[in-house]
Amino acid sequence: MSCTLWVLVESERGVAADASLAVVTEARRLADACGGTVTAVAVGEDLDDVVARAGAAGAHTVRRVSGGYADYATEPWTAALHTLLTTHAPTALLVAATTRGADVAPRLAARLGTGLVTDCVALECTGDGLLGVKTVLGGAAVTRSRVRDAVAVLTVRPGVLPPAATDGTAAEVVVEDLPAAPSRTTLVERVPAEDTGEVALEDARIIVSGGRAMGGADGFGVLRELATALGPTAAVGASRPAADSGWVPVSLEIGVSGKKVAPDLYLACGISGASQHLAGMSGSRTVVAINKDPEAPIFGVADFGVVGDLFEIVPALTEAVRAHRG
Amino acid sequence: MQIAVLVKQVPDDLAGARLTAAGVLDRAAGPATTDPVDRNALEAAVALAEAAGDSTVTVVAMGPASAKAVLKECVSVGATAGVHVSDEGLAGSDALATARVLAAAVRRLGPVDLVLAGARSFDGATAAVPAMVAELLDLPQVTTVTAIEAEPGALVCTQVLEDGHARVRLPLPGVVSVDEYVNTPRYPSVRSKLAANKAVFEVLTAADLGVTEVGPDAARAVVVATAEPPAREPGQRIQGTDARDTAEKLVAALAGAGAL
């Protein structure tokens, strides 16, 4: 079936979110397969680079919405998208399930009275239409869902798609003159994360994660050293008990209540493997478990398991990785 | 302050949970409990109510007869009243239909200052219903909140973003969804549990609320297929003579598998 796919490209201060651009590239793959088109919607200010990157990621058209949208707010974004979607009635709007994407998508779907499939790990274009594939019950089941309405809204879990393309041709740009609807909420403060030089969990291809057995904030030092040895695409994550204890920032938690990640390599250190944590890392391609307890559930999902004291194994692994990488 | 809290009954352990062929949670598959994040939403409500004084906290649960246990638990830790929307026709409702029912139930309470909910349920994890309820009630929203500060007539809510955090002022009335980091829920006392056992809840059907489009036939998003995730091959245990030898063998195995 032919489909017109729209993608919300989230940006802040002129910088497009990688997760959104990855959705543009995935939409292009689907559109190429089913004879459709991809339109990116860029909402915000300073959008020149955002527009260029959306085109490079695969959008045929970019609809540029500016004027009163400098700071994200639910209501103006919802109103702008609602106006565009009701005017043009695409097959679907795809949104990266970032904090803000997951904030605006359901409100928009409710305003449209349309179906919503959230946190998809894959999208499929079939004779039944566009399907959203998602894991539910903490990864215990996989569902394929279809939206019955003309404008389906689907959100896509960050990190599950390959990185965005950068070699697409320039998109046709349509400037939308939409006065921003008033917002009842106001942004008091926006605090960027400290630039630690570390790669974000969503973008990391390797994640070294620690659990309760790290014993405290200092324990994470050995994991950071291993991540550093593994190179610039590696990041440190944590299970809920470690984040709950304040040993690492909340933003590093992986699990049902934290980030959902899908790296190429996931090293679970001192993590027992509660279903809540497994739900967050189930998209990992290769899993290594290091744990003292040979019966820990994490070994049930690990491709490689080491039974032992992580404070002996991890430093040795850091040395072995350094030697391997030369 | 009049506060409504949306609460849900979920499987006690996801490891034992399963879906029916229609993609609906099989509630007979195992024991159920109060959604953990809803306990945080209730705690936030009770704390705000205690600080404001002269307040009510009404919990609203949509679910089968067993969901009454959730309402009792909420009363045992500070809720003042509960509404149970219980109707066989609701099984298989999608997020939008669920939000319509909950919004109607909140509207029935009369003017509320705040609707609180967990950001995402333990089982379905759609993270959609609170924002949909906000839209249907025409209230402003802040979702996935990790901290709440009360101001006269407003809340300042902290949200963790992908690259930092934001503090957003929400004028009341409004809708807030919280995550598990927002607070630590209190435990009931034996006395409060016994008192909650005597609580009587209003029980409503979808028809009572005037919501007719519920259940699988009305769902705008439908599950067309369910499957178990692909089974993983049994993993390989790496064992060396000491930590260094083990680490070298692990690196060799990862390199051999193309993972390094």
Side-chain angles (χ1 to χ4, degrees):
Chain A
M1 63 163 283
S2 176
C3 51
T4 48
L5 299 178
W6 283 34
V7 181
L8 173 63
V9 176
E10 192 186 326
S11 64
E12 181 152 352
R13 302 288 179 262
V15 178
D18 290 338
S20 300
L21 295 172
V23 178
V24 172
T25 299
E26 179 66 5
R28 180 58 181 261
R29 185 186 70 77
L30 293 166
D32 285 349
C34 68
T37 59
V38 176
T39 294
V41 185
V43 184
E45 307 299 330
D46 304 323
L47 292 174
D48 289 349
D49 186 59
V50 177
V51 168
R53 292 194 68 191
H60 297 95
T61 304
V62 181
R63 293 189 180 272
R64 178 176 179 152
V65 183
S66 296
Y69 296 93
D71 293 320
Y72 171 82
T74 312
E75 291 173 285
W77 256 250
T78 302
L81 291 166
H82 181 257
T83 299
L84 291 176
L85 293 174
T86 50
T87 303
H88 299 282
T91 309
L93 175 73
L94 310 177
V95 181
T98 58
T99 301
R100 288 165 169 170
D103 180 82
V104 74
R107 182 143 195 153
L108 176 65
R111 188 167 300 186
L112 289 164
T114 192
L116 170 72
V117 186
T118 59
D119 207 30
C120 299
V121 295
L123 302 169
E124 295 174 357
C125 201
T126 73
D128 282 342
L130 186 65
L131 299 185
V133 183
K134 62 181 293 185
T135 58
V136 296
L137 301 177
V142 178
T143 60
R144 284 174 164 72
S145 297
R146 180 175 66 82
V147 173
R148 286 176 165 151
D149 307 286
V151 186
V153 180
L154 299 96
T155 71
V156 182
R157 180 183 293 187
V160 298
L161 298 174
T166 56
D167 58 353
T169 52
E172 177 195 2
V173 179
V174 179
V175 177
E176 299 283 355
D177 184 19
L178 299 176
S183 173
R184 285 173 282 187
T185 59
T186 48
L187 181 66
V188 176
E189 187 182 24
R190 172 75 176 89
V191 182
E194 278 184 43
D195 186 6
T196 59
E198 293 174 0
V199 63
L201 277 178
E202 294 85 348
D203 302 327
R205 302 321 306 159
I206 302 175
I207 294 175
V208 184
S209 215
R212 196 191 303 273
M214 303 315 301
D218 291 346
F220 274 81
V222 294
L223 303 190
R224 290 199 184 86
E225 281 186 33
L226 176 56
T228 302
L230 286 163
T233 63
V236 171
S239 68
R240 183 179 167 94
D244 253 354
S245 303
W247 301 343
V248 294
V250 169
S251 56
L252 295 192
E253 188 205 327
I254 293 164
V256 167
S257 57
K259 300 270 173 71
K260 318 289 187 296
V261 297
D264 295 331
L265 176 59
Y266 189 86
L267 296 108
C269 306
I271 291 176
S272 63
S275 59
Q276 291 92 328
H277 184 74
L278 299 183
M281 47 74 72
S282 59
S284 306
R285 189 171 298 164
T286 302
V287 176
V288 173
I290 300 170
N291 203 297
K292 268 183 178 173
D293 176 7
E295 303 301 322
I298 191 74
F299 287 118
V301 301
D303 300 282
F304 300 98
V306 175
V307 178
D309 183 345
L310 73 93
F311 289 105
E312 293 176 8
I313 301 293
V314 172
L317 188 56
T318 303
E319 290 307 314
V321 167
R322 282 187 187 131
H324 173 75
R325 290 172 59 91
Chain B
M1 201 176 191
Q2 315 306 315
I3 306 176
V5 185
L6 311 180
V7 294
K8 185 182 180 188
Q9 191 176 46
V10 296
D12 191 33
D13 182 3
L14 292 181
R18 62 172 184 260
L19 296 179
T20 66
V24 179
L25 178 67
D26 181 357
R27 292 186 178 273
T33 188
T34 303
D35 195 342
V37 72
D38 292 346
R39 295 192 175 110
N40 297 93
L42 178 65
E43 175 62 34
V46 173
L48 286 167
E50 287 172 344
D54 189 25
S55 298
T56 62
V57 175
T58 305
V59 281
V60 180
M62 171 177 138
S66 60
K68 189 178 172 188
V70 171
L71 296 173
K72 280 187 180 178
E73 182 187 331
C74 291
V75 168
S76 76
V77 285
T80 44
V83 175
H84 184 187
V85 186
S86 183
D87 185 332
E88 285 185 6
L90 293 169
S93 294
D94 67 354
L96 183 54
T98 302
R100 283 177 172 147
V101 169
L102 293 172
V106 171
R107 205 178 284 119
R108 198 170 185 275
L109 299 177
V112 295
D113 299 293
L114 175 64
V115 180
L116 271 161
R120 69 188 72 73
S121 66
F122 186 57
D123 50 355
T126 59
V129 168
M132 287 180 158
V133 168
E135 169 64 20
L136 296 169
L137 294 174
D138 189 24
L139 294 176
Q141 71 189 53
V142 187
T143 54
T144 327
V145 166
T146 55
I148 299 174
E149 304 157 50
E151 291 185 346
L155 300 176
V156 175
C157 303
T158 300
Q159 272 182 318
V160 174
L161 303 172
E162 281 64 29
D163 57 350
H165 70 268
R167 294 173 68 236
V168 179
R169 179 175 288 109
L170 173 83
L172 298 178
V175 175
V176 171
S177 76
V178 300
D179 86 359
E180 288 90 337
Y181 289 101
V182 73
N183 54 37
T184 302
R186 68 192 70 182
Y187 288 99
S189 65
V190 173
R191 194 171 168 181
S192 69
K193 279 171 105 168
L194 289 172
N197 269 333
K198 295 177 188 162
V200 177
F201 304 106
E202 187 176 23
V203 181
L204 300 170
T205 63
D208 292 335
L209 294 168
V211 183
T212 53
E213 293 184 34
V214 296
D217 291 342
R220 307 315 307 156
V222 290
V223 175
V224 296
T226 64
E228 289 185 6
R232 279 180 175 268
E233 293 294 316
Q236 180 185 346
R237 293 284 172 112
I238 307 289
Q239 176 70 58
T241 53
D242 55 19
R244 181 177 169 177
D245 186 44
T246 302
E248 286 172 354
K249 283 182 171 151
L250 177 57
V251 167
L254 290 172
L260 266 188

